[in-house]
Amino acid sequence: MDFGFTEEQELLRKSAREVLAERSTPAVARAVMESETGFDESLWKTIAELGWCGVAIPEAEGGLGLGWVEQAVLVEETGRAVLPAPYLSTVGLALPVVLLAEPGEMRSRLLQGIASGEMRVALALTEEDGEWFAPLKAAATKSVNGYTIEGRKVFVADAHVAHELLVVARLDDDFAVFAVPAADTAITPLPTLDRTRRLSEVRLDGVTVGSERLIASGKSLGWRPADRTALVIAAEQTGVAQRVLEMSVQYAKEREQFGKPIGSFQAISHKLADMLLLTESARSHVYYAAWAIDEGTPDASLAAASARVAGIEAGRFATAEAIQVHGGIGFTYEHDLHLFYRRAKWDELYYGDATVWRERVAELIAAT
Amino acid sequence: MDFGFTEEQELLRKSAREVLAERSTPAVARAVMESETGFDESLWKTIAELGWCGVAIPEAEGGLGLGWVEQAVLVEETGRAVLPAPYLSTVGLALPVVLLAEPGEMRSRLLQGIASGEMRVALALTEEDGEWFAPLKAAATKSVNGYTIEGRKVFVADAHVAHELLVVARLDDDFAVFAVPAADTAITPLPTLDRTRRLSEVRLDGVTVGSERLIASGKSLGWRPADRTALVIAAEQTGVAQRVLEMSVQYAKEREQFGKPIGSFQAISHKLADMLLLTESARSHVYYAAWAIDEGTPDASLAAASARVAGIEAGRFATAEAIQVHGGIGFTYEHDLHLFYRRAKWDELYYGDATVWRERVAELIAAT
Amino acid sequence: MDFRDTAAEAAFRKDVRDWLEANKPSGAVAGLGVTEGRVGMLRTWQRKLHEGGWAGLGWPKEYGGRGASLIEQVIFSQEYARAKAPSILNVIGIGMAGPTIIAHGTDEQKHRYLDKILSGEEIWCQGFSEPGAGSDLGALRTSAVVEGDSFIVNGQKVWTTLAHIADWCILLARTDPTAPKHKGISYLLVDMHSPGVEVRPLRQMTGEAEFNEMFFTDVRVPRDNILGDVNDGWRIAMTTLLHERGTLGFALATQAEIVLGEAIALAKKTLKAGRPAIEDPLVRQRLAQLHVEIQAMRLNNYRALTTVMRTGIPGPEGSLGKLLWSESNKRLGELMLEIQGPAGLLEGSGYAGDNGEWVYRHFRSRANSIEAGTSEILRNIIAERVLGLPKHK
Amino acid sequence: MDFRDTAAEAAFRKDVRDWLEANKPSGAVAGLGVTEGRVGMLRTWQRKLHEGGWAGLGWPKEYGGRGASLIEQVIFSQEYARAKAPSILNVIGIGMAGPTIIAHGTDEQKHRYLDKILSGEEIWCQGFSEPGAGSDLGALRTSAVVEGDSFIVNGQKVWTTLAHIADWCILLARTDPTAPKHKGISYLLVDMHSPGVEVRPLRQMTGEAEFNEMFFTDVRVPRDNILGDVNDGWRIAMTTLLHERGTLGFALATQAEIVLGEAIALAKKTLKAGRPAIEDPLVRQRLAQLHVEIQAMRLNNYRALTTVMRTGIPGPEGSLGKLLWSESNKRLGELMLEIQGPAGLLEGSGYAGDNGEWVYRHFRSRANSIEAGTSEILRNIIAERVLGLPKHK
């Protein structure tokens, strides 16, 4: 029984933190926010070269052949640094689907592309109604050369900088996932509150793809990609919460009111204690879920859903109360807190909110 | 626009508080708790003689001919004093039904009996499933001499000291309320956590009553008695919350820790501020709802439901946090706090909990 | 006890409502932000209010006000919120500077300033908060040193609304650095056009700039521009702060009712899991709870008003309003984003409910528990002044 | 990272489980209350545990313990909770007095006390808390004055479990009233059968008497019965308190998992609005949230354990457990009463879920955030010791 990281895992965290401290500063995030594309090519290259996109991809497919624990370590760090790059959308949203797709040439191409960083892939799942796990309108039909897809996807994260889209569409009485070249679709970015992670509308007006581009069916996938996605977002939330906690503790030690550091007032210090409690709890959940997914334990889904809930609570509470602890200055645009607040809100509302995931937890615990 | 009490109302409150301070001490409540019947005949006589049971009953029926504002004033005070007498069950649960019953001899007998204090009346509504506003199993059938009622009522408050029971039973495709002499039924008190307000099981094994004892039909009653009941319980909760707030503030001023009164620590003082906020809010809701019921305004039902929700929040939070503020001593049997805690819990769970009443509020605000 | 308007109150309410309906700018939008594009409209509106006799509603008639009763002021603020009329540009002048000058000013000062406040000819701002002081107003460090006929002011103020367009500023400055914290402060009336005054907009996390920073560098203020005595500024500032709230609680409660109504409307038209969000039991619970809280604000306000009218002393209920409002409004903002799912992440788009309005409201609400008294300070005040608990220091 | 037992751990777990299954009293009920009717059974059980080699699991072998590793102690406490074995009667002796005597006692003291602690021949209680001191242990006032070969002890203690059956007491008393608060305290081992010791049960709001008050009137304690030096009691008491928690967090987490399972079972069989409560979306949300919190406790404990095993220094995660547990357990109690409706008001009846068990649990849970460190004190500790914030004083 051991809840410790290996030396390699610790080293991975340490080096990630160092790289991010230099390359993913709030100033960089602000530049990306203000830019037209919301994308920093050179930053992406750094990530790609470090192999971060391939952490959970087998060595045979060009990845590092590590697992979800290592993936969570990295994402916790990128969350801590509010990394302004389409990293979570690639490894958190798209990769789980690709990894669990049917083995074959297309899957390999996608995995190798992701692993090398040369291919950015976005998951085009939700539609106008914003529902995550609901019936879809987009539909594919078998055609002579493969499949023709008709539909409109909305809220697709980082679609505007993706090379490939994983389009989920109805097919007969199931659903299926198609790898669609982004260039074949019409992508319109939407004004997103976290401008470093933009959402887009994607129109598919009778796009035809080859049969090999059908990479998975709903029946074979089930909830398994969702477990991994939930885990990755929870890891990011943990990193966000950790960072704003640190900022707040620092501020509470330095800032004085009524002649004393504000951290000496229980109204502040107890808030910070609660932030710590939620952040540490989220972290514990995240790494247990990562381990459970790597090991394929029977409670992996429950662990992932629990991590998601704990992550939302930590991210939401920590970023909101960090602003409160900082007072007026924390509400300014110049202060970095709002970058974290926006990221936490994105993480909270994207891919099912706390209510959705508590219901998932309830379903699993009530079944036993 | 005036949220003030009249001089008469203030006087009523003042005199009630004085009487209760003398006659309804925690020591009296403890004696009633420990007693076999859970009933203090002489205390009841005092209440009866003061005319408190007839505050909301018209003068023509022997009451004082005042209204629900005055009734709320009294019940707030009896709540403040955890009055150990079947007062709330009479004026809060039974009286609203009787007042809204069809005019007639039976109604008059009941009202006059209640007003004089000579008749204690209990509402026998819920059954085994503990649901408040749900289909009933107990059923009445027309018989030669009137109606025959068959069924089992559970959780009937103060039934064991009542003279008459208001039995709600199915009749044809509606429900109806029958006044049934308590002596004709089999009453078994149940071990209740607030032992000054015991719940009973009531069996009606083919009890036959005269036709005049059918006093109201469901269709004519609707939610109107429930509005009044909700109001009265909320008034009691406000009184309970107010009293434990006062006890806690007093304690926080006197009790020292680390060389200072504990009330100087924000962990305590902010809790007390929140208790005040909830208590004052409940009080505002209660008197507005009482006025709205007296005036028959269109928002009376919404006001009553809102008061019930605010009352539950105040009662629950204040009694729970009062124990926390007092620390270990507040958890002892000798300390009076648990009398208030039990009363608040009773008020919370009896007659629909916060969830039920929030749903009622939602129904009313969503309809507009 | 009677929550209905009396005949006179009803008549007054009708006057207000009719006048606002007839006169408010078309396409008016409620909200506090005085953005550059809106200043012209707001100046015109301020003038119109003055001409209609609605500026300085509660001011004594001798100073050009209407001498309205407290309850008339409440009715006005309720109707004003209901009409979604745009903000009153000279709110600091009319609500804070004016009443303080009336209470503590010399005849010359009253003559000099009051008329132009009401007409909106001169706009005022308030220089109390400082970067280092925050909730601890007594810790302010801006200095005013006597030099001949003037004070020389140096220092920095922050969170100043309207500074970018203001002509005058009520400014607290330290005139005796050796005196204890709350002594040695003076209350100055500063011409914002004086050399050495610099205003920089302070952008908020919403992206807007409602507030400013003000920098004072060797600003020369004539000695006559002091309100009250030298070093007596703290006492005078209390008058200003007493007026800060005014009937704000009523406006907030009415506004909250309106916003909740809009929230319910959105919940009816937004689908969640295939059915309107308003049918979701969890959403219903939360909306109902918010209704109860908002009504508590309204009713607490009424109780406070009645207490003041009967006894002349404000009851404890009023101080609770701001605390309740901040916390409720934050929760409403959170709920409304949740209802929308990922559409709650869009700052404006046909996919977002009410074109992203709720995203703005949600962001803006995060400041509610900080501005005009943090929730922590309000709880301190309630604990100490209402419950009589010992000071937390 | 591996949450599975190693082969050795699994074998140890099996040993514990098998032994408990074979030996625990039939019809055993978990819970802390040592009521009169249960003392005999608990004494027998304590003896059995000792004979089985499970008493003093973590004590060094040279003092009669098992010298078990930390992880074995954790496994034992998990299995113990899972088996719902009755409480260990001499828990203060084995968990607190013994380890403190081992750390600070003389050879004579070790020889005199340790064996009888393990065998349960002598039961111990802890005299730390005082009515006037509460969370502020340093404010204790019980005095011990040297008179010849003895200390003469006078004072009052409170919240003492087991005092009514205890043979010995670890007692903190002030030996130098002139010294600063935390100096001048000595750590005495007091024979509870001494003249002048009076024990009165303290009834709780549940109706039970788990705790006692102890009165000391001119109680004569031989000078040899001091642990450590005169006036050095504070330092020694820290050893005791360090052991107070022990593997308690693991036991609490396991117990919480079991209780949540029972709650789910009750929610399945209790009808709400005509369908099982478990199908109510609001109930589901709250149960799910509790699951997440209880699992967080378990996982935080594991992280703390790993940190201790790797570095020898406890991580911050452990101190969070008690806080989380108290607050979660209170909420669980509230939920379970709500699920039952008016049946939640019955202290025992066929109409009440699990015959009123949840009403008791709910009442008992109200003390969770007070006993063994109030939630306020725990937040202070987390803020100061983990986050390094300045002291709140």
Side-chain angles (χ1 to χ4, degrees):
Chain A
M1 205 153 28
D2 176 18
F3 205 148
F5 295 101
T6 62
E7 257 180 65
E8 290 73 22
Q9 288 162 346
E10 293 287 11
L11 208 64
L12 181 68
R13 182 186 298 280
K14 189 164 169 289
S15 77
R17 189 171 299 192
E18 282 167 10
V19 170
L20 291 162
E22 198 189 317
R23 299 284 289 116
S24 174
T25 60
V28 172
R30 283 173 188 275
V32 170
M33 269 170 72
E34 309 292 334
S35 74
E36 190 160 342
T37 56
F39 180 65
D40 178 335
E41 188 78 46
S42 81
L43 180 57
W44 182 258
K45 273 215 174 104
T46 306
I47 292 168
E49 280 159 16
L50 288 163
W52 285 2
C53 296
V55 167
I57 295 175
E59 283 179 281
E61 305 286 6
L64 298 183
L66 302 170
W68 291 97
V69 170
E70 286 81 2
Q71 185 64 77
V73 166
L74 273 185
V75 175
E76 188 188 343
E77 292 305 316
T78 58
R80 213 178 162 278
V82 280
L83 175 71
Y87 182 61
L88 181 125
S89 54
T90 297
V91 301
L93 291 160
L95 179 59
V97 175
V98 180
L99 271 176
L100 295 164
E102 323 287 340
E105 202 219 331
M106 193 63 213
R107 175 174 177 270
S108 287
R109 258 171 66 197
L110 288 166
L111 287 179
Q112 286 167 23
I114 292 172
S116 68
E118 277 160 29
M119 200 186 272
R120 287 183 299 274
V121 185
L123 176 65
L125 168 60
T126 42
E127 303 186 346
E128 197 174 353
D129 64 4
E131 296 289 331
W132 297 102
F133 311 106
L136 300 170
K137 285 186 190 160
T141 45
K142 189 98 184 85
S143 62
V144 192
N145 301 319
Y147 296 92
T148 302
I149 309 166
E150 187 77 42
R152 182 155 47 110
K153 294 289 176 181
V154 195
F155 316 113
V156 183
D158 294 327
H160 65 303
V161 293
H163 304 94
E164 293 275 346
L165 304 181
L166 303 180
V167 176
V168 189
R170 279 192 293 118
L171 178 66
D172 304 326
D173 59 347
D174 192 12
F175 67 85
V177 183
F178 298 89
V180 178
D184 293 356
T185 68
I187 296 173
T188 315
L190 304 165
T192 313
L193 67 79
D194 183 343
R195 268 165 281 169
T196 66
R197 187 176 288 168
R198 301 183 191 181
L199 305 181
S200 289
E201 179 204 81
V202 176
R203 281 175 188 274
L204 297 102
D205 298 324
V207 176
T208 298
V209 296
S211 302
E212 79 286 359
R213 285 186 160 265
L214 189 168
I215 63 166
S217 73
K219 287 207 179 81
S220 68
L221 283 176
W223 271 89
R224 292 179 304 147
D227 293 345
R228 286 153 181 78
T229 301
L231 162 73
V232 171
I233 304 182
E236 176 164 281
Q237 287 167 313
T238 304
V240 168
Q242 176 65 34
R243 179 70 170 274
V244 297
L245 170 61
E246 288 168 18
M247 290 164 75
S248 302
V249 167
Q250 191 60 31
Y251 186 78
K253 285 178 184 171
E254 288 164 5
R255 167 74 166 177
E256 296 205 350
Q257 293 251 288
F258 308 104
K260 287 188 286 191
I262 60 169
S264 68
F265 295 112
Q266 287 175 324
I268 301 296
S269 67
H270 285 193
K271 225 185 260 300
L272 295 169
D274 287 339
M275 281 164 71
L276 178 77
L277 175 61
L278 290 176
T279 305
E280 293 294 348
S281 297
R283 180 171 291 122
S284 296
H285 271 294
V286 160
Y287 289 103
Y288 178 72
W291 175 83
I293 288 171
D294 277 339
E295 296 292 318
T297 65
D299 68 344
S301 285
L302 177 56
S306 301
R308 174 82 175 117
V309 172
I312 290 174
E313 288 298 332
R316 173 159 60 184
F317 184 82
T319 54
E321 296 304 327
I323 293 174
Q324 188 67 22
V325 168
H326 280 75
I329 195 77
F331 188 66
T332 60
Y333 201 79
E334 281 88 73
H335 201 284
D336 292 331
L337 272 179
H338 75 101
L339 304 178
F340 294 89
Y341 187 84
R342 287 167 192 272
R343 179 61 56 92
K345 193 51 76 180
W346 197 100
D347 284 343
E348 178 193 339
L349 297 182
Y350 205 81
Y351 212 69
D353 64 10
T355 304
V356 170
W357 286 94
R358 276 199 211 97
E359 175 54 35
R360 168 87 173 141
V361 168
E363 190 187 313
L364 294 166
I365 59 174
T368 57
Chain B
M1 206 154 26
D2 175 19
F3 205 149
F5 294 102
T6 61
E7 258 180 64
E8 290 71 25
Q9 288 163 346
E10 294 288 12
L11 208 64
L12 181 68
R13 183 189 297 280
K14 189 164 169 289
S15 76
R17 189 171 297 190
E18 281 167 10
V19 169
L20 291 163
E22 197 190 316
R23 299 285 288 116
S24 175
T25 60
V28 172
R30 284 173 189 274
V32 170
M33 271 170 71
E34 309 293 333
S35 73
E36 190 161 339
T37 56
F39 180 64
D40 179 333
E41 188 78 46
S42 80
L43 181 57
W44 181 257
K45 275 216 174 103
T46 305
I47 292 168
E49 280 160 16
L50 288 163
W52 286 2
C53 296
V55 166
I57 295 175
E59 283 180 281
E61 305 286 7
L64 298 183
L66 302 169
W68 292 97
V69 171
E70 287 80 4
Q71 185 66 76
V73 166
L74 274 185
V75 175
E76 189 188 342
E77 291 305 315
T78 58
R80 214 177 161 280
V82 280
L83 175 71
Y87 183 62
L88 181 126
S89 54
T90 298
V91 301
L93 292 160
L95 179 59
V97 175
V98 179
L99 272 176
L100 295 163
E102 323 287 340
E105 202 218 332
M106 193 64 213
R107 175 174 177 271
S108 287
R109 258 171 67 196
L110 289 166
L111 287 179
Q112 287 167 20
I114 292 172
S116 67
E118 276 160 30
M119 200 186 271
R120 286 182 298 275
V121 185
L123 176 67
L125 168 60
T126 42
E127 303 186 346
E128 197 173 355
D129 63 5
E131 295 290 331
W132 298 101
F133 311 106
L136 300 170
K137 285 187 190 159
T141 44
K142 189 96 187 85
S143 62
V144 192
N145 300 320
Y147 297 93
T148 301
I149 310 164
E150 187 77 45
R152 182 155 47 109
K153 293 290 175 180
V154 194
F155 316 113
V156 183
D158 294 327
H160 66 301
V161 292
H163 304 95
E164 294 276 345
L165 304 180
L166 303 181
V167 176
V168 189
R170 280 193 292 118
L171 179 66
D172 305 326
D173 58 347
D174 190 13
F175 66 85
V177 182
F178 298 89
V180 179
D184 293 355
T185 67
I187 296 172
T188 315
L190 304 165
T192 313
L193 66 79
D194 183 343
R195 266 166 281 168
T196 66
R197 187 175 288 167
R198 300 182 191 182
L199 305 181
S200 288
E201 179 203 82
V202 176
R203 281 176 188 273
L204 296 102
D205 297 325
V207 176
T208 298
V209 295
S211 301
E212 78 286 358
R213 286 185 161 267
L214 189 168
I215 64 166
S217 75
K219 287 206 179 83
S220 68
L221 283 176
W223 271 89
R224 291 179 304 146
D227 292 345
R228 287 153 180 78
T229 301
L231 163 73
V232 171
I233 304 182
E236 176 164 281
Q237 287 167 312
T238 304
V240 168
Q242 177 64 36
R243 178 68 170 274
V244 298
L245 170 61
E246 288 168 18
M247 290 164 76
S248 302
V249 167
Q250 191 60 32
Y251 186 78
K253 286 177 183 173
E254 289 165 3
R255 168 74 167 177
E256 296 204 352
Q257 294 250 290
F258 308 105
K260 285 189 286 190
I262 60 170
S264 67
F265 295 111
Q266 287 175 324
I268 301 296
S269 67
H270 285 194
K271 224 187 260 300
L272 294 170
D274 287 339
M275 281 164 71
L276 178 75
L277 176 60
L278 290 175
T279 306
E280 293 294 349
S281 297
R283 180 171 293 123
S284 296
H285 271 293
V286 160
Y287 290 103
Y288 178 72
W291 175 84
I293 287 171
D294 278 338
E295 297 293 318
T297 66
D299 67 344
S301 285
L302 177 55
S306 301
R308 174 83 174 115
V309 172
I312 290 174
E313 288 298 333
R316 174 159 61 185
F317 184 82
T319 54
E321 296 305 328
I323 293 174
Q324 188 68 22
V325 168
H326 280 77
I329 195 80
F331 188 65
T332 59
Y333 201 78
E334 281 89 71
H335 201 285
D336 292 330
L337 273 179
H338 74 100
L339 304 179
F340 294 88
Y341 187 83
R342 288 168 191 270
R343 178 61 56 92
K345 193 48 80 181
W346 197 100
D347 284 343
E348 178 193 341
L349 297 182
Y350 205 80
Y351 212 70
D353 65 11
T355 305
V356 169
W357 285 95
R358 274 198 214 97
E359 175 53 35
R360 168 89 172 138
V361 169
E363 191 188 312
L364 293 167
I365 59 175
T368 57
Chain C
M1 195 171 296
D2 191 350
F3 293 86
R4 296 194 191 88
D5 287 340
T6 62
E9 288 162 6
F12 181 80
R13 189 183 294 279
K14 187 170 179 312
D15 282 355
V16 176
R17 190 175 294 189
D18 291 350
W19 188 89
L20 286 171
E21 209 45 59
N23 290 281
K24 75 171 180 198
S26 59
V29 176
L32 288 164
V34 181
T35 51
E36 222 151 306
R38 300 179 73 212
V39 172
M41 178 272 284
L42 290 172
R43 274 194 200 276
T44 311
W45 173 233
Q46 171 79 62
R47 209 173 313 123
K48 217 173 210 174
L49 277 169
H50 181 231
E51 287 160 12
W54 304 109
L57 201 68
W59 288 24
K61 285 187 179 165
E62 55 180 307
Y63 298 120
R66 197 186 184 98
S69 70
L70 201 51
I71 206 150
E72 285 171 335
Q73 294 174 52
V74 164
I75 290 170
F76 182 81
S77 80
Q78 289 177 329
E79 292 302 319
Y80 200 89
R82 187 163 290 137
K84 300 191 193 178
S87 48
I88 295 175
L89 188 62
N90 207 11
V91 59
I92 309 277
I94 294 172
M96 299 171 78
T100 311
I101 292 171
I102 290 171
H104 300 284
T106 61
D107 286 344
E108 288 74 22
Q109 287 171 331
K110 291 176 189 172
H111 188 73
R112 164 68 189 80
Y113 299 111
L114 294 179
D115 273 358
K116 294 185 174 176
I117 286 176
L118 287 183
S119 68
E121 190 179 330
E122 290 177 350
I123 304 297
W124 288 68
C125 67
Q126 178 198 16
F128 283 21
S129 292
E130 294 193 6
S135 297
D136 182 12
L137 196 54
L140 64 86
R141 285 181 303 194
T142 293
S143 67
V145 178
V146 176
E147 199 186 289
D149 275 356
S150 304
F151 295 98
I152 306 298
V153 175
N154 278 284
Q156 187 186 347
K157 297 285 175 177
V158 76
W159 311 121
T160 321
T161 48
L162 302 167
H164 57 303
I165 57 158
D167 304 291
W168 289 93
C169 177
I170 44 176
L171 184 94
L172 292 183
R174 192 164 294 286
T175 34
D176 182 355
T178 64
K181 243 165 75 165
H182 297 103
K183 322 266 176 187
I185 290 172
S186 296
Y187 194 114
L188 305 180
L189 309 177
V190 179
D191 184 343
M192 290 292 286
H193 307 293
S194 311
V197 176
E198 192 198 343
V199 174
R200 291 185 207 153
L202 197 56
R203 210 167 153 209
Q204 298 150 243
M205 63 181 263
T206 55
E208 285 190 329
E210 277 175 59
F211 303 101
N212 301 277
E213 294 177 288
M214 295 196 291
F215 299 85
F216 296 85
T217 314
D218 294 333
V219 175
R220 192 167 287 269
V221 178
R223 276 211 61 155
D224 289 349
N225 285 21
I226 191 169
L227 209 56
D229 295 332
V230 174
N231 295 334
D232 196 25
W234 185 258
R235 195 175 61 89
I236 297 168
M238 289 304 110
T239 303
T240 307
L241 294 176
L242 206 66
H243 281 85
E244 185 176 13
R245 301 275 155 80
T247 56
L248 177 68
F250 287 92
L252 288 178
T254 305
Q255 205 178 296
E257 276 186 68
I258 293 167
V259 172
L260 182 64
E262 291 171 10
I264 292 169
L266 183 66
K268 283 179 178 172
K269 70 184 184 196
T270 304
L271 294 185
K272 241 182 103 108
R275 55 179 190 171
I278 192 75
E279 293 176 18
D280 180 320
L282 289 148
V283 171
R284 292 169 76 79
Q285 289 283 312
R286 290 165 74 181
L287 287 172
Q289 180 63 31
L290 286 162
H291 168 83
V292 172
E293 290 170 13
I294 290 166
Q295 289 305 310
M297 276 174 62
R298 183 174 73 90
L299 297 168
N300 288 344
N301 285 340
Y302 280 136
R303 279 178 61 211
L305 179 68
T306 298
T307 308
V308 173
M309 292 199 304
R310 289 200 173 186
T311 67
I313 304 157
E317 309 86 358
S319 55
L320 304 168
K322 163 66 170 52
L323 177 60
L324 191 49
W325 174 75
S326 312
E327 301 302 327
S328 297
N329 203 40
K330 286 197 293 186
R331 280 202 303 278
L332 176 61
E334 286 170 3
L335 172 61
M336 296 315 290
L337 258 53
E338 283 180 54
I339 281 179
Q340 298 178 60
L345 296 172
L346 299 181
E347 292 190 324
S349 151
Y351 291 114
D354 297 335
N355 196 29
E357 176 69 17
W358 288 99
V359 172
Y360 169 77
R361 283 183 182 164
H362 167 85
F363 267 74
R364 183 62 185 80
S365 75
R366 294 259 66 107
N368 294 161
S369 50
I370 297 170
E371 60 197 337
T374 67
S375 290
E376 289 77 23
I377 291 290
L378 292 177
R379 287 198 180 89
N380 280 353
I381 290 174
I382 294 167
E384 291 164 20
R385 301 202 201 147
V386 183
L387 296 175
L389 291 166
K391 282 216 167 228
H392 75 106
K393 274 176 278 185
Chain D
M1 195 172 295
D2 191 349
F3 293 88
R4 295 194 192 86
D5 288 340
T6 61
E9 288 162 5
F12 182 79
R13 189 183 293 280
K14 188 171 179 313
D15 281 355
V16 175
R17 190 175 293 190
D18 291 349
W19 188 89
L20 285 172
E21 210 42 60
N23 290 280
K24 76 171 179 199
S26 58
V29 176
L32 288 163
V34 181
T35 50
E36 223 151 305
R38 300 179 73 212
V39 173
M41 177 273 284
L42 290 172
R43 274 193 201 276
T44 311
W45 174 232
Q46 172 78 62
R47 209 174 312 123
K48 216 171 209 176
L49 277 168
H50 182 230
E51 286 161 11
W54 303 109
L57 201 68
W59 288 25
K61 285 189 180 162
E62 56 179 307
Y63 299 118
R66 196 186 185 101
S69 72
L70 201 49
I71 206 150
E72 285 171 334
Q73 294 174 53
V74 164
I75 290 171
F76 183 81
S77 80
Q78 290 175 329
E79 292 302 320
Y80 200 88
R82 187 163 289 137
K84 300 190 192 179
S87 48
I88 296 176
L89 188 62
N90 208 10
V91 61
I92 308 277
I94 294 172
M96 300 171 77
T100 312
I101 292 170
I102 290 171
H104 299 284
T106 61
D107 286 345
E108 288 73 22
Q109 287 171 331
K110 292 176 186 170
H111 188 74
R112 164 66 189 81
Y113 298 111
L114 295 179
D115 273 358
K116 293 185 175 176
I117 286 176
L118 288 182
S119 68
E121 190 179 330
E122 289 177 350
I123 304 297
W124 287 67
C125 67
Q126 177 198 15
F128 282 21
S129 293
E130 294 193 5
S135 297
D136 181 13
L137 197 55
L140 65 85
R141 285 181 303 195
T142 293
S143 68
V145 179
V146 176
E147 199 185 291
D149 275 359
S150 304
F151 294 99
I152 306 299
V153 175
N154 279 285
Q156 187 185 348
K157 296 286 177 178
V158 76
W159 311 122
T160 322
T161 47
L162 303 169
H164 57 302
I165 56 158
D167 304 291
W168 288 91
C169 176
I170 44 176
L171 184 93
L172 291 184
R174 193 164 293 285
T175 34
D176 182 354
T178 64
K181 243 166 75 162
H182 297 101
K183 322 266 175 184
I185 290 173
S186 295
Y187 195 114
L188 306 180
L189 310 177
V190 178
D191 184 341
M192 290 291 285
H193 306 293
S194 310
V197 177
E198 192 197 344
V199 175
R200 291 185 208 153
L202 196 56
R203 212 167 152 209
Q204 297 149 243
M205 62 180 261
T206 56
E208 284 189 331
E210 277 176 56
F211 302 101
N212 302 277
E213 295 178 288
M214 295 196 292
F215 298 85
F216 296 85
T217 313
D218 293 333
V219 175
R220 191 166 288 271
V221 178
R223 278 210 62 153
D224 288 351
N225 285 22
I226 190 168
L227 208 57
D229 294 331
V230 174
N231 296 335
D232 197 24
W234 185 259
R235 195 175 62 88
I236 297 168
M238 289 304 111
T239 303
T240 307
L241 294 177
L242 204 68
H243 281 86
E244 186 176 11
R245 301 276 155 80
T247 56
L248 177 67
F250 287 92
L252 288 179
T254 305
Q255 205 178 298
E257 277 186 67
I258 293 168
V259 172
L260 182 64
E262 292 171 8
I264 292 169
L266 183 66
K268 283 179 178 171
K269 69 183 183 196
T270 304
L271 293 185
K272 242 180 102 103
R275 56 180 191 170
I278 192 77
E279 293 176 18
D280 179 321
L282 289 147
V283 171
R284 292 168 77 79
Q285 289 284 312
R286 291 165 73 180
L287 287 172
Q289 180 62 31
L290 286 162
H291 168 83
V292 171
E293 291 170 12
I294 289 166
Q295 290 305 311
M297 275 174 63
R298 181 174 75 90
L299 297 168
N300 287 346
N301 285 339
Y302 281 136
R303 279 179 61 213
L305 179 68
T306 298
T307 308
V308 173
M309 292 199 306
R310 288 199 173 185
T311 67
I313 303 158
E317 309 86 358
S319 56
L320 304 168
K322 163 64 171 52
L323 178 59
L324 192 47
W325 173 75
S326 312
E327 302 302 326
S328 297
N329 203 41
K330 286 197 292 187
R331 280 201 303 278
L332 176 61
E334 286 170 3
L335 172 61
M336 296 315 290
L337 257 54
E338 282 180 54
I339 282 180
Q340 297 178 59
L345 296 172
L346 299 181
E347 292 191 324
S349 150
Y351 291 115
D354 298 335
N355 196 28
E357 175 70 17
W358 288 99
V359 173
Y360 170 78
R361 284 184 182 163
H362 167 85
F363 267 73
R364 184 61 185 80
S365 76
R366 293 259 68 107
N368 294 161
S369 50
I370 298 170
E371 60 197 337
T374 66
S375 289
E376 289 77 24
I377 291 289
L378 292 177
R379 288 197 179 89
N380 279 352
I381 290 173
I382 293 167
E384 291 164 21
R385 301 203 198 145
V386 182
L387 296 175
L389 290 167
K391 282 218 170 225
H392 74 106
K393 274 178 279 184

